[in-house]
Each structure stands twice: as C-alpha cells, then as structure tokens.
Amino acid sequence: MPLTFDLKAVCGDARAGVIHTDHGDIQTPIFMPVGTAGSVKAVHQQELKDEVKAQIILGNTYHLYLRPGCDILRQAGGLHKFNAWDRPLLTDSGGFQVFSLAANRKLKEEGVTFRSHIDGSRHLFTPEGVMDIERVIGADIMMVLDECCPGDADYRYAKKSMELTHRWLDRCITRFAETEPLYGHHQALFPIVQGCQYADLRRISAEYIASKEPEGCAIGGLAVGEPTEVMYEMIEVVNAILPKDRPRYLMGVGTPQNLLEAIERGVDMFDCVMPTRNGRNGLLFTAEGTINIKNKKWETCFEPIYKDYTLAYLHHLIRAEEILGLQICSIVNLRFYLWLVGEARNHIVAGDYAAWKGGMVAKLGRRL
C-alpha cells in the first residue's frame, strides 16, 4: 500500500498525525535515531524498541553503499533483514555526505564524483544510481539525490545549486517510476526543498516539490551554518507552501529546542546524530536541562538516571572510558528525544502546545 498520512490534530501550525507504512505506523511528530551504517551507534536494536521506543530509524545510502555494499544487502534481503529491524526505515540519499566531503568530490550535471573516506577509491553517484542503491537497501522512505549547499553560500551559488537539485529530482522520479521494490513492500520517495537562506529560492523550491505530488516532503540544507532564526524563518516559508496532507521531514535537525520550535512551525519528522554523538561524549539531555556527566559534581550523585544506574556510576563509566557508559548515555538521550516528541504530540492534541513549549524551551537551555 502507498505511504499515507492521517492528520489527527492541529494546534496553530503544530500537527499530530500518523504515517502508515508497510512496516508499521509512525506517530508524529517523530524523532528518528540515526543508524548510519545499519546500526545506531552503541544501541542494540532490541533496546531501540523496548527502551528508546523508536518507531523508525535511518540508514545512510553513502555509508551502506561503501560498506557492506549493495551485493551483500541484496543477498541479505535488504536492510530490514540484514540488521534485524522490522519497523519502518528511511534512507537519505548521501547528499549531505557529499556536502561534507567537499574536498574529495566533484559536482557536475551527471552526478557527483567522490573519493571514499575508507580507502580513497573513486565513485560516482547519479540520481539514477542512487535510486537503484536505495531500492537495494529497501527502506520504506527513500530520499532523492540533492546538493546541500553551505548555509553561508551566496545567492548565485544557492540558486544554481537549487536548480541542479530540481533537475536531479526529475531524474530520480523517472528512475523511481521505472523500477520496482525488491522485497515486497512499498517504498515512498521524498523530494527535498533546497534554497539555502534565501526566502524566494525556498518558495520556488517548495512550489516545485509540491507540484510533483510526492508522498512526503523533506526540507534540507538547514542547520549547516546559517543563524538559528534564519532556519526557523525558512521553515515557515516552506511549510506555508508544502501540502498539508503529507508528512514534512526536517533533515539533520537538531537540538531539543530546535525540535520544539520546528514542530510549532509544522514539521512532523526529524533526525539528528546529536543525542547519540553527544551522549558518547558525556553530555546528557534531560527535561530540566543538560548534564555534563564528566564533571566532578556528579561523582557522588547517587540519583538514578536510567533503570538502577546512577549518575555517579555513569560518571565513573565515562571517566573510565568503559563501553557501557557510551551505551547508557546514548539510550538516555534517545529516550529523552522520543519522550519529548511524544509529549509534544500530547500537547498538540490537548490544544496547549504553545504554552507548554515555552516552558520546556526555557528549561532545556539550562546547564545542570
């Protein structure tokens, strides 16, 4: 069955809905843990289900293409079977990785040539090739190949980049229509709005994306160096145009405060490495603010932070560089992110989202 989106409640521009996929339903707003190479770092799949309550996770096309490679993934029956995850999956297109590898890539109309960060080998990503790779990976939601230009790019470059992304989008749509899912479940294709920090370009891109009548839409090229308030302005510009009956995915964002502000502006889906990456470095997100677990003040704090594990024990694990510490910190942060979007949903349904959000944002910025 095609991917569908049921809008259940609105509060201002904030939305609560349900995305229906062949691998299960996704309650929105939702945060998606990032499983770059087929694994959310330091977190077992069963913990993602039972402890984190993750409804959907990400895989990264660039990394999965390089390792383990398409042949292995096809033999395994796709990423769902390869990593034993039976809930929805989303794959990005590798566009952001290409952006981050600026020193090792070359853009042209055909696609993007880049050197592997693993062994230096040269590869070409074309819109058609990326569609074929994502068919092999088998995610429920596929992203088109785009160029993510820097947040401080000048207008001329941003316009040229957006137009290239649109031409690549058309080629992705054509290739997507020419191919079929390989593993018996539906795959949806999300185009990506670009346009950097320029409102007129964002409007042009959003209108172009909306004209394709996609099953869902993504907003890319934000949180890449532009001021935070500019990011929020661009979200408002774009969401005034994107169809209201389709899910909206803000790519690669961000802090808990970012999530709440974007939800208020009509975003439904998020992903970011921040909860796991920061967790592995000893920074914890909580409803009362952030904790640097490395600080000596937590050495004798015997309050539990997760199950029976205390802050003092977690302080010890991180200071001693024990792997268990990385695991617990990652779970704590992911649990919090999923709790936060769940609470956002509850307050959208209750009709008091704006008031609740204001109080939460004030607390989230505190250092404990």
Side-chain angles (χ1 to χ4, degrees):
M1 296 292 292
L3 179 146
T4 57
F5 178 61
D6 290 335
L7 194 58
K8 298 296 185 181
V10 295
C11 184
D13 289 327
R15 299 133 56 92
V18 183
I19 301 170
H20 303 284
T21 80
D22 284 350
H23 281 98
D25 291 347
I26 305 162
Q27 307 288 322
T28 65
I30 192 64
F31 179 81
M32 303 178 283
V34 177
T36 301
S39 169
V40 177
K41 285 184 173 59
V43 185
H44 192 284
Q45 275 83 324
Q46 201 60 46
E47 292 166 328
L48 286 171
K49 293 180 180 180
D50 297 343
E51 304 297 333
V52 173
K53 309 298 183 186
Q55 300 175 47
I56 176 173
I57 62 174
L58 268 70
N60 181 270
T61 295
Y62 165 86
H63 288 279
L64 290 167
Y65 161 79
L66 291 176
R67 190 168 51 193
C70 291
D71 288 345
I72 297 296
L73 287 168
R74 186 188 286 270
Q75 291 178 50
L79 185 57
H80 283 97
K81 290 187 176 179
F82 188 59
N83 73 348
W85 179 259
D86 59 2
R87 295 181 182 179
L89 278 167
L90 181 149
T91 42
D92 66 13
S93 67
F96 181 79
Q97 281 63 44
V98 168
F99 159 75
S100 65
L101 291 169
N104 294 309
R105 52 88 163 161
K106 183 176 181 181
L107 282 169
K108 49 187 177 180
E109 190 67 33
E110 181 186 8
V112 55
T113 302
F114 61 91
R115 289 191 178 276
S116 164
H117 72 286
I118 299 170
D119 60 10
S121 56
R122 187 180 293 273
H123 303 269
L124 172 65
F125 270 4
T126 66
E128 295 81 7
V130 166
M131 292 297 93
D132 293 345
I133 295 166
E134 291 191 78
R135 286 295 199 194
V136 171
I137 296 171
D140 301 87
I141 299 172
M142 299 166 47
M143 307 306 300
V144 301
L145 181 64
D146 66 324
E147 185 199 355
C148 176
C149 73
D152 60 354
D154 63 36
Y155 186 89
R156 182 179 178 182
Y157 183 94
K159 184 174 185 291
K160 182 179 178 181
S161 173
M162 178 198 71
E163 291 168 347
L164 176 64
T165 289
H166 291 174
R167 293 193 297 274
W168 283 359
L169 165 61
D170 290 339
R171 289 167 57 188
C172 284
I173 290 172
T174 298
R175 185 62 176 173
F176 182 78
E178 293 171 346
T179 58
E180 296 288 338
L182 299 176
Y183 311 114
H185 61 267
H186 177 73
Q187 293 181 278
L189 182 65
F190 282 23
I192 302 171
V193 177
Q194 289 290 351
C196 198
Q197 58 181 313
Y198 304 104
D200 62 329
L201 296 183
R202 287 284 175 179
R203 290 189 188 95
I204 291 169
S205 190
E207 289 168 356
Y208 194 81
I209 266 63
S211 73
K212 304 301 179 180
E213 300 184 349
E215 293 175 82
C217 306
I219 307 169
L222 294 175
V224 289
E226 79 286 351
T228 302
E229 290 307 316
V230 171
M231 175 175 72
Y232 297 151
E233 179 189 350
M234 294 304 102
I235 293 170
E236 292 174 7
V237 166
V238 167
N239 281 346
I241 297 168
L242 294 180
K244 297 185 183 302
D245 60 348
R246 312 292 164 87
R248 302 164 178 165
Y249 165 32
L250 179 58
M251 304 180 73
V253 179
T255 67
Q257 297 97 312
N258 292 158
L259 267 63
L260 296 185
E261 295 289 355
I263 288 169
E264 188 171 44
R265 291 162 172 82
V267 173
D268 307 299
M269 304 168 69
F270 303 88
D271 80 284
C272 190
V273 298
M274 186 169 286
T276 46
R277 179 177 291 170
N278 284 17
R280 295 194 305 275
N281 286 285
L283 184 69
L284 303 179
F285 297 101
T286 79
E288 300 300 321
T290 57
I291 293 173
N292 184 347
I293 199 63
K294 295 179 181 179
N295 287 348
K296 189 174 178 62
K297 66 183 293 184
W298 307 110
E299 185 177 30
T300 56
C301 182
F302 299 103
E303 295 180 16
I305 184 67
Y306 168 62
K307 294 189 174 180
D308 293 328
Y309 300 122
T310 65
L311 287 161
Y313 181 56
L314 191 51
H315 169 86
H316 158 71
L317 292 175
I318 293 298
R319 298 282 292 185
E321 299 183 353
E322 286 287 339
I323 294 173
L324 180 59
L326 311 183
Q327 183 180 16
I328 294 173
C329 286
S330 298
I331 292 173
V332 166
N333 283 350
L334 288 173
R335 277 165 55 97
F336 172 70
Y337 267 62
L338 268 295
W339 173 85
L340 186 67
V341 294
E343 284 297 292
R345 178 186 176 87
N346 292 339
H347 286 279
I348 293 167
V349 172
D352 63 351
Y353 179 78
W356 170 81
K357 185 219 77 172
M360 282 301 302
V361 167
K363 291 192 293 183
L364 292 171
R366 299 187 303 190
R367 291 267 182 173
L368 301 179

